[in-house]
Amino acid sequence: FGPSLALMVEPRLFAVESNSNQRRNMKAPTITAAPSKSVAYALLITLFVCCVVPVSMAGKPSGKGGGQGGGDDGGGDPVDTPPVTYSIQWLTPPAGMSYRILDINDNGWTSGQMITDEVPFAAVAFTPDGTPIDLNALAPLPSEDGYYMRGGHRISDNGVVVGQAYNPLTDQYRNYRYIPAGLRDTIPVSEILPDTGSRNPTVNRFGDVACQIPDTETVRVYFLDSTIEPWVPEVQGVRAISGFNDQFQLLYLGPWAGDGNAVLYKYTPSAEQESFYLHTVARMNNYGTIVAKAWSTNLRSSNHVSYSDEGEASVILEKADGYPTGINDAGEIIGWAGQRNISNYVYFPSNGLWDVNNLVADSGGTKWQSAEIALEAINNNGQIAGTADVVSDNGEIVSEGFILTPVAP
């Protein structure tokens, strides 16, 4: 797999207790399994539960001042004082390699891809101090399967990494799950998830993985506890999964509308399924709040819109060409605006929308100012992970990872 980054470091990631306002009571769905196993799993989940204060997503920020360094407090009056500033931690690859960062968990671990000339994409995780861990070297998939882990698409709070696996001999894709030591075995293990295909899976806080099953266009949830039978939610026509949270809610692109346009669906166990016409590129937090790209009926413009679990809508950004890329449990949203006056943004429920470039301490330095930035994920501590295309010393474009950590303004 090209230059190896395998380290004698075992990522024993364990969920840390969050503040009471970052959790809500969670219940596993009714699943088809032996009663004793279902009860055991429900008890396991209960150990992770504590109460929270619901997050309000009220208000309709206009985005005024976002390109100038100001924000909007939801009432239309610009706010000049930044709600936070961010320090930058760079994840710089060795020569001949690039990094692409795709996710960050609440413990500050990130996951993504390392890219070399020999292997275009391979799964990598990073410790909070930025130490890279080559997952294919640390816990390779069974050799008889012929697959290798192509990227760390998502990482859970207990360190489970999921993504695509690829077999170069058969040119086939499957979903995989990497499990750190101590969660299932005394050593880290990786596994292929049966009947999956090329669509990326997603994972909740507990390490349970939701996968699209291509042959039937359904969803199958593989629990971290392998003694529990996989759960098949009552959904059909699933084209891609966008979210899977601790309440076992699913967010996915489903069957096309009658006019051939996209429809986004949110499935909640034991509740009526919701649909969102002409909505794409969506994310969901643990409260069921959705942020999505909403198209106009003529498909000529789009807004970035959030919907609370109760259905309350807020326009985050109007007439934006880009798309939202993440939302945390506090309702903080990141995205790519694709506008002349603002490219990448952070939205704060109490402080409106801000250009991320105006929140980075000391303007980020020369590297940040000259880089092409992509914000990929935001965790419940407000840390933002992403990828920057920078010009190396020899003039080549290299992709580096970064983590933005909020500090007091």
Side-chain angles (χ1 to χ4, degrees):
F1 296 100
S4 177
L5 295 179
L7 301 172
M8 294 299 100
V9 177
E10 166 48 34
R12 294 178 64 94
L13 298 157
F14 297 96
V16 295
E17 288 191 4
S18 300
N19 294 331
S20 61
N21 65 347
Q22 291 179 345
R23 293 281 186 114
R24 97 180 320 182
N25 287 322
M26 305 164 192
K27 246 200 293 195
T30 302
I31 57 176
T32 304
S36 59
K37 294 177 181 177
S38 298
V39 171
Y41 190 74
L43 290 173
L44 177 63
I45 290 179
T46 303
L47 295 175
F48 287 86
V49 174
C50 58
C51 297
V52 303
V53 178
V55 173
S56 172
M57 293 297 292
K60 182 180 178 182
S62 67
K64 288 182 181 179
Q68 304 298 322
D72 186 286
D73 63 3
D77 296 327
V79 178
D80 294 328
T81 304
V84 299
T85 57
Y86 293 103
S87 63
I88 303 177
Q89 176 187 354
W90 289 100
L91 304 175
T92 302
M97 182 179 292
S98 289
Y99 291 150
R100 183 184 176 203
I101 306 304
L102 300 174
D103 199 18
I104 183 168
N105 70 15
D106 286 355
N107 299 316
W109 288 68
T110 56
S111 63
Q113 296 173 315
M114 55 184 182
I115 304 165
T116 67
D117 291 337
E118 292 83 4
V119 178
F121 303 102
V124 64
F126 295 85
T127 65
D129 67 2
T131 302
I133 299 172
D134 181 346
L135 298 185
N136 285 290
L138 181 66
L141 292 165
S143 58
E144 60 269 21
D145 292 335
Y147 288 86
Y148 74 93
M149 293 173 279
R150 196 167 181 266
H153 181 62
R154 294 287 181 263
I155 182 168
S156 69
D157 283 353
N158 58 3
V160 171
V161 179
V162 299
Q164 287 182 341
Y166 178 64
N167 187 326
L169 298 178
T170 62
D171 193 30
Q172 291 182 321
Y173 291 88
R174 292 288 185 269
N175 294 167
Y176 79 85
R177 173 167 50 189
Y178 160 83
I179 305 171
L183 293 183
R184 184 183 287 179
D185 204 338
T186 56
I187 60 172
V189 295
S190 299
E191 61 182 357
I192 290 290
L193 300 172
D195 302 323
T196 55
S198 61
R199 297 292 187 181
N200 271 314
T202 189
V203 64
N204 65 11
R205 187 193 305 260
F206 310 120
D208 306 320
V209 187
C211 306
Q212 189 240 21
I213 307 301
D215 290 346
T216 56
E217 292 189 327
T218 57
V219 174
R220 191 176 300 167
V221 174
Y222 293 95
F223 295 104
L224 181 61
D225 183 349
S226 59
T227 65
I228 301 177
E229 291 294 324
W231 172 51
V232 181
E234 297 177 358
V235 296
Q236 295 180 340
V238 177
R239 295 185 291 121
I241 302 173
S242 299
F244 176 54
N245 67 15
D246 297 349
Q247 300 185 76
F248 294 86
Q249 292 176 305
L250 284 164
L251 187 65
Y252 66 95
L253 285 174
W256 299 100
D259 55 7
N261 286 312
V263 181
L264 181 71
Y265 293 85
K266 184 171 80 170
Y267 169 83
T268 301
S270 304
E272 185 175 348
Q273 183 167 272
E274 300 173 73
S275 64
F276 304 84
Y277 177 65
L278 292 176
H279 284 59
T280 58
V281 193
R283 297 291 182 265
M284 179 174 63
N285 68 14
N286 286 315
Y287 292 105
T289 300
I290 296 170
V291 62
K293 180 171 184 170
W295 290 92
S296 63
T297 53
N298 60 13
L299 299 179
R300 292 182 180 177
S301 65
S302 60
N303 297 332
H304 297 191
V305 182
S306 73
Y307 298 90
S308 71
D309 199 31
E310 293 75 27
E312 182 180 356
S314 299
V315 175
I316 302 303
L317 189 61
E318 296 179 341
K319 297 181 179 178
D321 294 332
Y323 43 84
T325 56
I327 179 172
N328 66 13
D329 290 352
E332 297 169 342
I333 297 166
I334 59 172
W336 172 58
Q339 295 181 346
R340 182 177 300 176
N341 67 328
I342 180 172
S343 180
N344 295 282
Y345 68 82
V346 186
Y347 168 78
F348 303 92
S350 299
N351 298 90
L353 186 141
W354 290 74
D355 186 333
V356 72
N357 291 318
N358 297 328
L359 299 176
V360 176
D362 300 322
S363 300
T366 303
K367 180 189 287 190
W368 179 271
Q369 294 171 11
S370 62
E372 291 290 330
I373 301 296
L375 307 181
E376 296 288 355
I378 181 169
N379 68 15
N380 287 326
N381 298 312
Q383 290 181 296
I384 299 170
T387 302
D389 290 339
V390 301
V391 180
S392 66
D393 294 338
N394 59 10
E396 296 181 350
I397 301 296
V398 176
S399 294
E400 297 191 18
F402 64 83
I403 299 172
L404 302 180
T405 298
V407 295

